[in-house]
Amino acid sequence: VTDEYLNSQYIALCAEASWRRKVVVLLTARTVCSSLIETLILADRICWIYETLGENHVECELVPCFDPKISPTNLCIIAKKK
């Protein structure tokens, strides 16, 4: 085994480790932000319902549908006519 071969393998391993760290950081950020972003989207949809139908004609609320340990996307919008 030559030094040149070992150096090339070392460089390849360092590049792969760097790539893996970046993926872990992105996946962690996605996990941390996903529930916040989902809640903001649902709140925006509730605002749209109020703007479209009017606050005097409908009541809206966010209700958890099931255990959040099963899935973080456990919220639903319940809209009732007044």
PDB file of all heavy atoms in Angstrom, residues 28-42:
ATOM      1  N   THR A  28     -31.692  17.714  11.397  1.00  0.00           N
ATOM      2  CA  THR A  28     -32.009  18.209  12.739  1.00  0.00           C
ATOM      3  C   THR A  28     -32.793  19.517  12.653  1.00  0.00           C
ATOM      4  O   THR A  28     -33.794  19.695  13.353  1.00  0.00           O
ATOM      5  CB  THR A  28     -30.725  18.396  13.563  1.00  0.00           C
ATOM      6  OG1 THR A  28     -30.028  17.159  13.610  1.00  0.00           O
ATOM      7  CG2 THR A  28     -31.033  18.872  14.961  1.00  0.00           C
ATOM      8  N   ALA A  29     -32.355  20.416  11.796  1.00  0.00           N
ATOM      9  CA  ALA A  29     -33.060  21.691  11.620  1.00  0.00           C
ATOM     10  C   ALA A  29     -34.480  21.442  11.112  1.00  0.00           C
ATOM     11  O   ALA A  29     -35.426  22.099  11.565  1.00  0.00           O
ATOM     12  CB  ALA A  29     -32.295  22.589  10.657  1.00  0.00           C
ATOM     13  N   ARG A  30     -34.628  20.507  10.199  1.00  0.00           N
ATOM     14  CA  ARG A  30     -35.958  20.183   9.671  1.00  0.00           C
ATOM     15  C   ARG A  30     -36.867  19.650  10.777  1.00  0.00           C
ATOM     16  O   ARG A  30     -38.026  20.030  10.888  1.00  0.00           O
ATOM     17  CB  ARG A  30     -35.822  19.158   8.557  1.00  0.00           C
ATOM     18  CG  ARG A  30     -37.136  18.816   7.915  1.00  0.00           C
ATOM     19  CD  ARG A  30     -36.936  17.821   6.826  1.00  0.00           C
ATOM     20  NE  ARG A  30     -37.790  16.685   7.125  1.00  0.00           N
ATOM     21  CZ  ARG A  30     -37.731  15.525   6.541  1.00  0.00           C
ATOM     22  NH1 ARG A  30     -36.821  15.291   5.641  1.00  0.00           N
ATOM     23  NH2 ARG A  30     -38.549  14.577   6.855  1.00  0.00           N
ATOM     24  N   THR A  31     -36.332  18.777  11.606  1.00  0.00           N
ATOM     25  CA  THR A  31     -37.116  18.194  12.692  1.00  0.00           C
ATOM     26  C   THR A  31     -37.533  19.258  13.704  1.00  0.00           C
ATOM     27  O   THR A  31     -38.682  19.276  14.156  1.00  0.00           O
ATOM     28  CB  THR A  31     -36.307  17.085  13.386  1.00  0.00           C
ATOM     29  OG1 THR A  31     -35.948  16.112  12.422  1.00  0.00           O
ATOM     30  CG2 THR A  31     -37.091  16.441  14.498  1.00  0.00           C
ATOM     31  N   VAL A  32     -36.615  20.142  14.035  1.00  0.00           N
ATOM     32  CA  VAL A  32     -36.905  21.180  15.027  1.00  0.00           C
ATOM     33  C   VAL A  32     -37.940  22.169  14.493  1.00  0.00           C
ATOM     34  O   VAL A  32     -38.838  22.589  15.219  1.00  0.00           O
ATOM     35  CB  VAL A  32     -35.601  21.909  15.429  1.00  0.00           C
ATOM     36  CG1 VAL A  32     -35.884  23.173  16.219  1.00  0.00           C
ATOM     37  CG2 VAL A  32     -34.703  20.978  16.220  1.00  0.00           C
ATOM     38  N   CYS A  33     -37.846  22.524  13.225  1.00  0.00           N
ATOM     39  CA  CYS A  33     -38.708  23.561  12.656  1.00  0.00           C
ATOM     40  C   CYS A  33     -40.034  23.041  12.103  1.00  0.00           C
ATOM     41  O   CYS A  33     -40.942  23.830  11.859  1.00  0.00           O
ATOM     42  CB  CYS A  33     -37.960  24.292  11.551  1.00  0.00           C
ATOM     43  SG  CYS A  33     -36.533  25.204  12.141  1.00  0.00           S
ATOM     44  N   SER A  34     -40.168  21.755  11.900  1.00  0.00           N
ATOM     45  CA  SER A  34     -41.344  21.237  11.194  1.00  0.00           C
ATOM     46  C   SER A  34     -42.655  21.549  11.904  1.00  0.00           C
ATOM     47  O   SER A  34     -43.625  21.981  11.273  1.00  0.00           O
ATOM     48  CB  SER A  34     -41.211  19.743  10.936  1.00  0.00           C
ATOM     49  OG  SER A  34     -41.205  19.034  12.153  1.00  0.00           O
ATOM     50  N   SER A  35     -42.724  21.346  13.213  1.00  0.00           N
ATOM     51  CA  SER A  35     -43.989  21.593  13.910  1.00  0.00           C
ATOM     52  C   SER A  35     -44.319  23.083  13.945  1.00  0.00           C
ATOM     53  O   SER A  35     -45.484  23.463  13.831  1.00  0.00           O
ATOM     54  CB  SER A  35     -43.962  21.009  15.317  1.00  0.00           C
ATOM     55  OG  SER A  35     -42.947  21.615  16.070  1.00  0.00           O
ATOM     56  N   LEU A  36     -43.303  23.932  14.070  1.00  0.00           N
ATOM     57  CA  LEU A  36     -43.531  25.372  14.046  1.00  0.00           C
ATOM     58  C   LEU A  36     -44.074  25.807  12.687  1.00  0.00           C
ATOM     59  O   LEU A  36     -45.067  26.547  12.606  1.00  0.00           O
ATOM     60  CB  LEU A  36     -42.236  26.126  14.350  1.00  0.00           C
ATOM     61  CG  LEU A  36     -42.284  27.637  14.165  1.00  0.00           C
ATOM     62  CD1 LEU A  36     -43.252  28.263  15.145  1.00  0.00           C
ATOM     63  CD2 LEU A  36     -40.906  28.223  14.295  1.00  0.00           C
ATOM     64  N   ILE A  37     -43.467  25.327  11.621  1.00  0.00           N
ATOM     65  CA  ILE A  37     -43.909  25.691  10.274  1.00  0.00           C
ATOM     66  C   ILE A  37     -45.320  25.170  10.013  1.00  0.00           C
ATOM     67  O   ILE A  37     -46.160  25.870   9.442  1.00  0.00           O
ATOM     68  CB  ILE A  37     -42.898  25.188   9.227  1.00  0.00           C
ATOM     69  CG1 ILE A  37     -41.596  25.965   9.373  1.00  0.00           C
ATOM     70  CG2 ILE A  37     -43.462  25.318   7.819  1.00  0.00           C
ATOM     71  CD1 ILE A  37     -40.452  25.429   8.571  1.00  0.00           C
ATOM     72  N   GLU A  38     -45.602  23.946  10.440  1.00  0.00           N
ATOM     73  CA  GLU A  38     -46.944  23.392  10.257  1.00  0.00           C
ATOM     74  C   GLU A  38     -47.988  24.235  10.985  1.00  0.00           C
ATOM     75  O   GLU A  38     -49.056  24.530  10.438  1.00  0.00           O
ATOM     76  CB  GLU A  38     -47.009  21.961  10.762  1.00  0.00           C
ATOM     77  CG  GLU A  38     -48.387  21.367  10.596  1.00  0.00           C
ATOM     78  CD  GLU A  38     -48.571  20.045  11.307  1.00  0.00           C
ATOM     79  OE1 GLU A  38     -47.603  19.530  11.874  1.00  0.00           O
ATOM     80  OE2 GLU A  38     -49.707  19.542  11.300  1.00  0.00           O
ATOM     81  N   THR A  39     -47.704  24.648  12.204  1.00  0.00           N
ATOM     82  CA  THR A  39     -48.634  25.467  12.969  1.00  0.00           C
ATOM     83  C   THR A  39     -48.858  26.817  12.291  1.00  0.00           C
ATOM     84  O   THR A  39     -49.992  27.315  12.238  1.00  0.00           O
ATOM     85  CB  THR A  39     -48.122  25.663  14.406  1.00  0.00           C
ATOM     86  OG1 THR A  39     -47.912  24.376  14.995  1.00  0.00           O
ATOM     87  CG2 THR A  39     -49.099  26.439  15.253  1.00  0.00           C
ATOM     88  N   LEU A  40     -47.786  27.417  11.757  1.00  0.00           N
ATOM     89  CA  LEU A  40     -47.930  28.683  11.043  1.00  0.00           C
ATOM     90  C   LEU A  40     -48.804  28.524   9.797  1.00  0.00           C
ATOM     91  O   LEU A  40     -49.626  29.387   9.494  1.00  0.00           O
ATOM     92  CB  LEU A  40     -46.556  29.235  10.664  1.00  0.00           C
ATOM     93  CG  LEU A  40     -45.714  29.768  11.801  1.00  0.00           C
ATOM     94  CD1 LEU A  40     -44.311  30.129  11.318  1.00  0.00           C
ATOM     95  CD2 LEU A  40     -46.372  30.964  12.449  1.00  0.00           C
ATOM     96  N   ILE A  41     -48.644  27.421   9.074  1.00  0.00           N
ATOM     97  CA  ILE A  41     -49.459  27.168   7.885  1.00  0.00           C
ATOM     98  C   ILE A  41     -50.929  27.003   8.273  1.00  0.00           C
ATOM     99  O   ILE A  41     -51.827  27.569   7.637  1.00  0.00           O
ATOM    100  CB  ILE A  41     -48.948  25.944   7.115  1.00  0.00           C
ATOM    101  CG1 ILE A  41     -47.598  26.269   6.469  1.00  0.00           C
ATOM    102  CG2 ILE A  41     -49.945  25.475   6.070  1.00  0.00           C
ATOM    103  CD1 ILE A  41     -46.879  25.070   5.902  1.00  0.00           C
ATOM    104  N   LEU A  42     -51.175  26.248   9.343  1.00  0.00           N
ATOM    105  CA  LEU A  42     -52.557  26.059   9.793  1.00  0.00           C
ATOM    106  C   LEU A  42     -53.169  27.376  10.267  1.00  0.00           C
ATOM    107  O   LEU A  42     -54.343  27.659  10.000  1.00  0.00           O
ATOM    108  CB  LEU A  42     -52.624  24.998  10.883  1.00  0.00           C
ATOM    109  CG  LEU A  42     -52.331  23.573  10.421  1.00  0.00           C
ATOM    110  CD1 LEU A  42     -52.218  22.647  11.621  1.00  0.00           C
ATOM    111  CD2 LEU A  42     -53.389  23.080   9.456  1.00  0.00           C
TER     112      LEU A  42
END
